[in-house]
Amino acid sequence: MKRSVTPVFWLMFGAGGIIAALFGPALVLITGLLVPTGVGVNPAIMDYVHTIAFARHPLGKLVLLAVISLFAWHGAERIYLTLKDMHLGRKLTLAWLSYGSAGAVTLATAAALLAIGF
Amino acid sequence: MRRPYLRPIDSLWWAKPPYLAYTLREAAGIAIAAYALVLLAGVICLALDENAYSAWLRFLASRWSLALHAIFLIAMLFHVWTWFAIMPKTMPRLVIGGRYVEPRFITAAGIVIAALASFVLLAIALWVRP
């Protein structure tokens, strides 16, 4: 029997979905609203020195790669299924567009994290 | 020649109830992916140099970015709700003490755990004084 790759996409979708459900609101609030406005937090927690130290640490790299790539895969699955239901193109084309974008985001994140070094 | 009957479908079906609820749920996924792109831009700027990273931080402080993140925050909260509302339907029936756990309890427990997780992360960010 031919194996389907669908469960792999579902796994990425689910992993991204659970991280977004548990930490998404706090992440957006901290990185997008509190740090830029300086409300409540010390903006220094996201300055160059601290952020690059975080990104150089293996655990920091893992967190960044997991959050960015899994959020992308989560969105890709939803975008793909919605576009497919809207009949906005051939299934294969839509799959390549959405999953391909998520794959590109994953590779770009990994490349940038490697470029930052250890 | 075969001429099957094709029921006419409104091309805007997805923008109308009852499908609108699903469309909004899926749209939250677009916001989550867009947030990932913002973070990716930050990591790339970080890999370039300090000037690029400062430019990214200045973008985050712009009105456009703040408005964008306000939308992201609403989408994330909506995602928390829909994610745990669906959870009882996507998992095997949970039995505790010989009784089926009602779906609404699973939804409520999930939202409470999510609130705690986000609260802990927020508390760490508020207390850390580098």
Side-chain angles (χ1 to χ4, degrees):
Chain A
M1 202 180 92
K2 191 170 174 285
R3 281 176 188 246
S4 166
V5 289
T6 312
V8 178
F9 296 136
W10 270 96
L11 187 72
M12 307 284 257
F13 164 77
I18 197 79
I19 295 177
L22 292 177
F23 302 108
L27 282 173
V28 170
L29 199 56
I30 294 165
T31 70
L33 296 169
L34 298 183
V35 168
T37 54
V39 174
V41 300
N42 186 344
I45 62 173
M46 247 170 76
D47 67 10
Y48 182 74
V49 175
H50 289 100
T51 312
I52 201 144
F54 182 79
R56 277 191 178 134
H57 194 279
L59 278 179
K61 280 195 200 307
L62 188 68
V63 168
L64 288 169
L65 185 65
V67 168
I68 296 173
S69 69
L70 292 175
F71 278 13
W73 283 101
H74 175 83
E77 181 78 20
R78 295 222 135 143
I79 291 165
Y80 165 63
L81 291 175
T82 306
L83 294 181
K84 192 188 73 161
D85 288 349
M86 286 176 172
H87 296 288
L88 284 181
R90 284 170 59 233
K91 265 169 78 170
L92 198 64
T93 314
L94 296 177
W96 271 104
L97 271 176
S98 39
Y99 297 139
S101 309
V105 168
T106 305
L107 287 178
T109 310
L113 288 172
L114 283 177
I116 287 168
F118 288 87
Chain B
M1 193 180 146
R2 205 177 81 91
R3 287 204 311 173
Y5 172 69
L6 290 176
R7 190 167 60 91
I9 299 172
D10 183 353
S11 62
L12 287 177
W13 59 270
W14 49 270
K16 291 167 187 171
Y19 306 106
L20 180 63
Y22 301 105
T23 307
L24 287 176
R25 186 185 72 196
E26 304 302 297
I30 300 174
I32 291 172
Y35 178 61
L37 289 180
V38 172
L39 293 183
L40 172 60
V43 171
I44 290 173
C45 288
L46 195 62
L48 290 175
D49 57 25
E50 192 167 352
N51 285 334
Y53 186 72
S54 303
W56 182 71
L57 284 182
R58 277 199 303 279
F59 161 73
L60 285 189
S62 71
R63 266 186 208 172
W64 283 105
S65 170
L66 293 176
L68 192 66
H69 283 84
I71 295 170
F72 288 169
L73 182 60
I74 294 166
M76 284 289 185
L77 292 171
F78 186 62
H79 169 78
V80 173
W81 162 250
T82 58
W83 187 258
F84 291 111
I86 297 163
M87 198 168 207
K89 295 171 189 167
T90 56
M91 57 187 266
R93 283 225 268 176
L94 188 62
V95 182
I96 295 178
R99 286 183 148 199
Y100 286 120
V101 179
E102 276 199 55
R104 59 197 170 95
F105 285 121
I106 297 172
T107 301
I111 291 172
V112 168
I113 290 169
L116 280 174
S118 262
F119 179 78
V120 167
L121 190 56
L122 199 58
I124 291 171
L126 291 176
W127 284 333
V128 166
R129 288 280 174 263

